[in-house]
Amino acid sequence: MRSHEPREAMPLGFTHDVHAPRVVFGAGALDRIPEELDRLGASRVLLICTARRGDAVDRVAAALGARLAGIFDGARMHVPAEVADAALDEARRVDADLCIAVGGGSAIGVAKAVALGDGPPFIAVPTTYSGSEMTTIWGISANGLKATGRDPRVLPRTVLYEPALTLSLPPAVTAASGMNALAHCVEALYAHDGTPVSSLMAEEGIRALAANLPAAVRDGTDGEARSGALYGAWLAGGSLGAVAMGLHHRICHVLGGSFDLPHAETHAVMLPHVAAFNAPAARDAMRRAARALGSEDVAGALYDLREALGCPASLRELGMMQGQLNAAADRVMESPYPNPRQFDAEDVRALLRDAWSGRRPSSID
Ligand code: NAD
């Protein structure tokens, strides 16, 4: 170790208890579908996707061949309960023994809800960077509230990461989804239940995402950047699945679930602000994040990266009204997540005000 580098804090003890799916990563992963179906003994597969089916769905459907039993294309953001019910009904109607979710967190979320409702298990073919495929976390929304929980039954049996399927991801979705993945990594670095392995994954995830997202946004067909970003997204999903998330994820769940703000863009706006707030209480995490981002000012670098990727800068741009900020802060306080820095309602209100205005935060003292 070079003398000017601060020494890494050595763990005194930890519990590493992670449920993780089988992962097949890389060009040609889709060709493995028949083999993966054989492994699972599946003969009737329900494909789950959003209404905008796209090329990825066609390619997966073709790879399923005669084992494609049906397509449910009603997946929507935040898994409305009626969508989860409709998908489960469809799985039963076509007598599916397996589902295959093709798309981002919305499609994967529906497959998770089906598995949770005693429907068939599933394979995930992620086409965004949200990371849901790597976690036991499920979410279902009803009446303006999003219920979430962890359950090993919602973990995919296999995840097929095929970078070619992400080439069509529009720049704005690439950018926001990439910031969503970064948020998993940043919060994993200061998680109360973090381990040396989850921290390695999270730091490497930040490095891969920060290095590849700008090129993937500039030129969506840049295969190397797409592959690097998807690799980062896998690590981010693994980080999210391994440890408990903090204040940032709590705020984003409230803003998405109760105020209908777009999931990934909300992460992009909030992340620099929460990083700045938590920095004084998470020195080691910030040192790792700084190393991965190549900047001492983690919050500033995250803000600048968001800017460079062209993501919205403020909650105001996402449609939040200033008059809603206090109600959102109160809701955040109803069920606060573990967080390295203690906070009260006024702290959350101040964070939301900063994010609403879109000012540039800094995590340097
Ligand atoms: P998404 O799945 O809604 O996808 C965003 C948009 O991009 C959709 O319109 C989709 O059709 C389109 N799209 C996806 N892939 C594409 C491609 N390759 N080419 C062109 N268009 C494409 O968005 P998301 O950010 O991936 O997921 C958000 C949802 O996932 C939220 O409901 C969130 O709560 C959930 N989520 C859950 C977890 C978890 O662990 N449970 C983790 C992260 C996100």
Side-chain angles (χ1 to χ4, degrees):
M1 182 186 288
R2 287 187 302 252
S3 58
H4 63 273
E5 281 184 0
R7 226 158 48 88
E8 209 65 63
M10 292 304 289
L12 298 174
F14 54 86
T15 303
H16 191 73
D17 178 16
V18 175
H19 299 269
R22 171 182 167 86
V23 168
V24 178
F25 187 101
L30 273 196
D31 302 336
R32 298 273 290 273
I33 285 184
E35 193 183 324
E36 295 299 324
L37 296 183
D38 290 346
R39 273 189 81 250
L40 298 168
S43 58
R44 296 189 57 78
V45 184
L46 177 68
L47 193 159
I48 295 177
C49 58
T50 57
R52 211 174 70 199
R53 294 183 178 197
D55 175 54
V57 168
D58 294 341
R59 289 184 59 181
V60 172
L64 288 169
R67 288 193 265 191
L68 177 65
I71 297 183
F72 176 84
D73 66 0
R76 293 213 315 270
M77 184 89 68
H78 301 309
V79 194
E82 65 273 17
V83 170
D85 292 343
L88 184 57
D89 287 347
E90 186 63 6
R92 289 187 174 139
R93 195 184 68 79
V94 302
D95 196 22
D97 52 17
L98 186 81
C99 293
I100 188 162
V102 183
S106 297
I108 293 166
V110 171
K112 286 180 163 185
V114 168
L116 192 68
D118 282 336
F122 71 104
I123 288 178
V125 184
T127 63
T128 73
Y129 307 131
S130 70
S132 175
E133 66 281 357
M134 289 300 296
T135 81
T136 58
I137 306 166
W138 56 268
I140 297 177
S141 25
N143 308 322
L145 289 177
K146 186 167 180 180
T148 61
R150 288 190 187 246
D151 192 313
R153 282 179 297 167
V154 308
L155 206 62
R157 293 295 161 92
T158 305
V159 181
L160 298 172
Y161 284 107
E162 169 61 82
L165 296 185
T166 63
L167 301 185
S168 59
L169 203 56
V173 186
T174 301
S177 184
M179 291 297 296
N180 185 192
L182 273 165
H184 304 332
C185 297
V186 170
E187 289 230 297
L189 284 178
Y190 53 60
H192 74 93
D193 52 355
T195 74
V197 172
S198 63
S199 292
L200 282 172
M201 282 172 55
E203 184 178 339
E204 174 69 357
I206 294 174
R207 189 175 292 112
L209 290 161
N212 289 290
L213 286 173
V217 166
R218 228 177 5 255
D219 174 8
T221 64
D222 180 336
E224 210 172 302
R226 286 298 191 183
S227 187
L230 196 58
Y231 165 66
W234 167 52
L235 294 166
S239 306
L240 174 69
V243 298
M245 295 288 112
L247 175 60
H248 168 82
H249 278 72
R250 173 66 192 156
I251 291 176
C252 292
H253 284 162
V254 166
L255 296 180
S258 305
F259 296 87
D260 215 22
L261 295 200
H263 175 83
E265 288 80 358
T266 305
H267 275 272
V269 168
M270 285 307 311
L271 181 62
H273 298 281
V274 184
F277 177 77
N278 277 334
R283 296 284 181 203
D284 192 53
M286 290 301 137
R287 203 158 36 239
R288 283 177 175 272
R291 199 160 55 194
L293 289 165
S295 165
E296 285 306 307
D297 182 1
V298 170
L302 290 169
Y303 185 93
D304 295 343
L305 179 60
R306 178 209 52 74
E307 186 76 22
L309 297 179
C311 290
S314 66
L315 295 181
R316 182 175 38 185
E317 284 170 59
L318 298 184
M320 184 101 181
M321 288 184 296
Q322 198 168 13
Q324 294 176 308
L325 298 181
N326 287 354
D330 291 344
R331 189 147 274 182
V332 168
M333 294 306 295
E334 281 169 16
S335 163
Y337 290 14
N339 194 60
R341 182 169 166 189
Q342 296 297 311
F343 58 90
D344 58 22
E346 183 43 39
D347 292 324
V348 180
R349 279 195 285 273
L351 266 174
L352 290 174
R353 278 196 299 270
D354 286 347
W356 189 84
S357 71
R359 72 164 191 85
R360 184 180 187 277
S362 168
S363 50
I364 290 187
D365 297 330

